Amino acid sequence: MLDKYGIAKRIAKEVQDGYYVNLGIGIPTLVANYIPDDIDVVLQSENGLLGMGPFPFEGEEDADYINAGKQTITTLPGSAFFDSAMSFGMIRSRKVDLTILGAMEVSENGDIANWKIPGKMVKGMGGAMDLVASAQNIIVAMQHVNRQGESKLLPACTLPLTGLRCVKKIVTELGVFDVIPDGGFKIVELHDGVTLDQVCVSTKGKLVE
């Protein structure tokens, strides 16, 4: 099974040359460290940065350079800074080719819940609703089960929704899964050492081989 770094490294293989990519908070931010050197990709941070680089080495951080999750980052030659209005103008006008997000639940129809657990304090949805409504392609990076061992790939989401029928692909510690148009999680690949039985036990939604 993969750890969070392995999940990020696998998702980086889905990024294509020429893409503009938005990285969500959590595991998705790690994808910046694994973009292949032989492709040209521009990373967008919704707090107002185009041209985000990998995380800085320890001791080289600049507190003025942060991503949407308030983590220190680096910039690349040609990077641009701008306000939130410009940033969300890019997002809403579908200039972002790929959005990579974390999630608490994904349904077999591609619905996503990633912003609120009822009864727990949250600061707000942030830009997630705009991103899932506007991105041309959405990949979710998440753990296959929650801390209670319950599946997060479900027939229907139980938590407040962020977006409907928008997720195209999911990468977890167990494998890679496409959300198919008719509904269901199609197994694209299982990670080394993972068995089909493990995936079946951990997936409550419909699996398609």
Side-chain angles (χ1 to χ4, degrees):
M1 293 188 291
L2 299 184
D3 60 12
K4 62 182 180 180
Y5 301 100
I7 292 172
K9 190 173 183 178
R10 174 59 185 83
I11 290 177
K13 295 180 180 180
E14 301 293 324
V15 179
Q16 297 182 24
D17 187 53
Y19 267 16
Y20 286 82
V21 182
N22 181 282
L23 302 179
I25 296 170
I27 296 174
T29 60
L30 300 173
V31 174
N33 289 339
Y34 301 107
I35 301 295
D37 293 333
D38 59 347
I39 64 173
D40 183 20
V41 173
V42 180
L43 300 180
Q44 194 250 16
S45 185
E46 65 204 67
N47 58 318
L49 170 62
L50 198 62
M52 182 169 59
F55 285 110
F57 292 109
E58 186 174 354
E60 298 180 1
E61 303 92 340
D62 186 330
D64 288 330
Y65 293 172
I66 61 172
N67 60 21
K70 299 181 176 60
Q71 297 168 302
T72 53
I73 55 171
T74 61
T75 58
L76 300 174
S79 295
F81 297 90
F82 35 82
D83 61 18
S84 290
M86 176 69 76
S87 179
F88 280 90
M90 294 177 182
I91 293 167
R92 292 169 183 168
S93 60
R94 298 181 179 271
K95 303 298 184 184
V96 176
D97 299 294
L98 172 63
T99 291
I100 303 169
L101 294 170
M104 292 179 280
E105 293 178 347
V106 176
S107 80
E108 61 190 39
N109 290 324
D111 302 340
I112 181 173
N114 79 336
W115 76 283
K116 182 179 181 180
I117 297 176
K120 292 192 176 183
M121 184 177 292
V122 293
K123 294 180 180 179
M125 182 176 285
M129 183 175 285
D130 295 271
L131 288 163
V132 300
S134 304
Q136 298 182 42
N137 188 13
I138 296 170
I139 297 177
V140 165
M142 69 176 190
Q143 298 296 318
H144 210 98
V145 298
N146 62 23
R147 292 178 181 177
Q148 290 73 45
E150 300 165 334
S151 178
K152 295 167 66 173
L153 277 65
L154 303 170
C157 294
T158 64
L159 297 173
L161 292 177
T162 310
L164 296 170
R165 295 181 177 272
C166 54
V167 176
K168 301 294 191 295
K169 188 182 295 288
I170 305 162
V171 181
T172 76
E173 75 276 18
L174 300 182
V176 182
F177 309 86
D178 283 342
V179 179
I180 61 176
D182 293 336
F185 303 108
K186 180 177 176 58
I187 300 173
V188 177
E189 64 185 67
L190 300 181
H191 302 315
D192 289 345
V194 175
T195 67
L196 181 59
D197 285 344
Q198 283 178 284
V199 174
C200 291
V201 168
S202 301
T203 307
K204 198 171 182 180
K206 180 172 66 176
L207 276 175
V208 181
E209 295 185 50

